[in-house]
């Protein structure tokens, strides 16, 4: 990355960090149902922003903003620039908490960035763009839908009027990712599973990723998951309107959704996701190296 650009972004981050301070969360307070607090995005991101200030690898970005009911929100994202490997960096987007009642994904995004900061070589050759909170109002309110009442993960590439979708679509276009990974939690499942789409190699990435996750959480072995036929814990159908690459993009990036079962111990859920993400990075790098030697 251009050093000047890096410096400007870094300075901008420091100056706009205070923008994260939004109203407190709407989880009703016990014993006082009238009083409400919101889950805090600022609390979630504070350790990451601190990490970014001191890290040569992480750049925090607060430039994507939108308004809901007169309140200003930010779609936060973090670049992790892995050690150079000689070739142009591989661009991967990791998207979490587009369903606001699945905060586990957001915590995983934070955990994964901390993990990479310690083991940067795991992201050698990559430029990762990580979106910990794709649905900020839903995250605050602990609702699947955004505060405007929409399931944002059914709104993509259909000229949605939702500002979050608009911003995320702009990100998907401008980054032109080689791979997209979405993190979800499914309260109808007892096990970890994956959904693959896009480039056919996605299925070669998902199998080892699920195996890695299986060390921490059981896999969902059912033949029908979320209404879709499944094989070896992998679903190949998508609901229309889910977050994915622009429809016209060729070649297709790989698109993987990782779904963890709801209600498992937080540390196991985080380990399972981090292990799966790490596996995807390692195996995609191998694939690229192989393809370049053909
Ligand atoms: Zn979800």
């Amino acid at each position: 990355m251009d050093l000047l650009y890096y410096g400007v972004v870094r300075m901008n981050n420091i100056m706009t960090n205070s923008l994260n301070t939004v109203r407190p969360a709407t989880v009703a307070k016990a014993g006082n149902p009238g009083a409400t607090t919101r889950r805090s995005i600022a609390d979630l991101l504070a350790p990451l922003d601190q990490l970014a200030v001191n890290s040569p690898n992480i750049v925090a970005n607060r430039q994507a903003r939108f308004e809901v009911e007169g309140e200003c929100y930010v779609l936060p994202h973090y670049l992790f620039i892995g050690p150079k490997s000689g070739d142009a960096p591989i661009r991967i987007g990791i998207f979490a908490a587009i369903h606001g009642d699945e905060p586990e994904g957001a915590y995983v995004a934070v955990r994964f960035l901390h993990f990479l900061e310690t083991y940067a070589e795991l992201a050698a050759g990559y430029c990762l763009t990580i979106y910990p909170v794709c649905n900020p109002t839903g995250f605050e309110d602990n609702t699947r839908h955004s505060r405007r009442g929409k399931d944002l993960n059914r709104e993509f590439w259909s000229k949605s009027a939702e500002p979050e979708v608009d911003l995320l679509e702009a990100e998907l276009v401008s980054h032109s990712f080689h791979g997209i990974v979405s993190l979800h939690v499914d309260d109808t499942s007892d096990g970890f599973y994956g959904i693959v789409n896009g480039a056919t190699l996605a299925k070669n990435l998902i199998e080892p990723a699920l195996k890695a996750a299986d060390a921490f959480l059981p896999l969902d072995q059912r033949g029908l998951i979320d209404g879709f036929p499944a094989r070896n814990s992998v679903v190949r159908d998508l609901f229309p309107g889910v977050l994915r690459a622009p429809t016209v993009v060729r070649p297709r990036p790989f698109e993987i959704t990782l779904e963890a079962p709801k209600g498992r111990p937080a540390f196991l859920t985080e380990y399972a996701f981090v292990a799966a993400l790490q596996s995807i990075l390692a195996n995609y790098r191998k694939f690229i190296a192989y393809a370049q030697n053909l």
Side-chain angles (χ1 to χ4, degrees), residues 99 102 144 184-185 259:
H99 291 139
E102 299 169 19
R144 176 181 177 93
H184 284 261
V185 172
E259 295 263 6

Side-chain angles (χ1 to χ4, degrees), residues 97-102 144 151 153-154 183-186 257-259:
I98 196 162
H99 291 139
D101 59 350
E102 299 169 19
R144 176 181 177 93
D151 183 339
N153 208 31
R154 301 290 182 272
L183 311 182
H184 284 261
V185 172
D186 185 345
T257 300
L258 300 172
E259 295 263 6

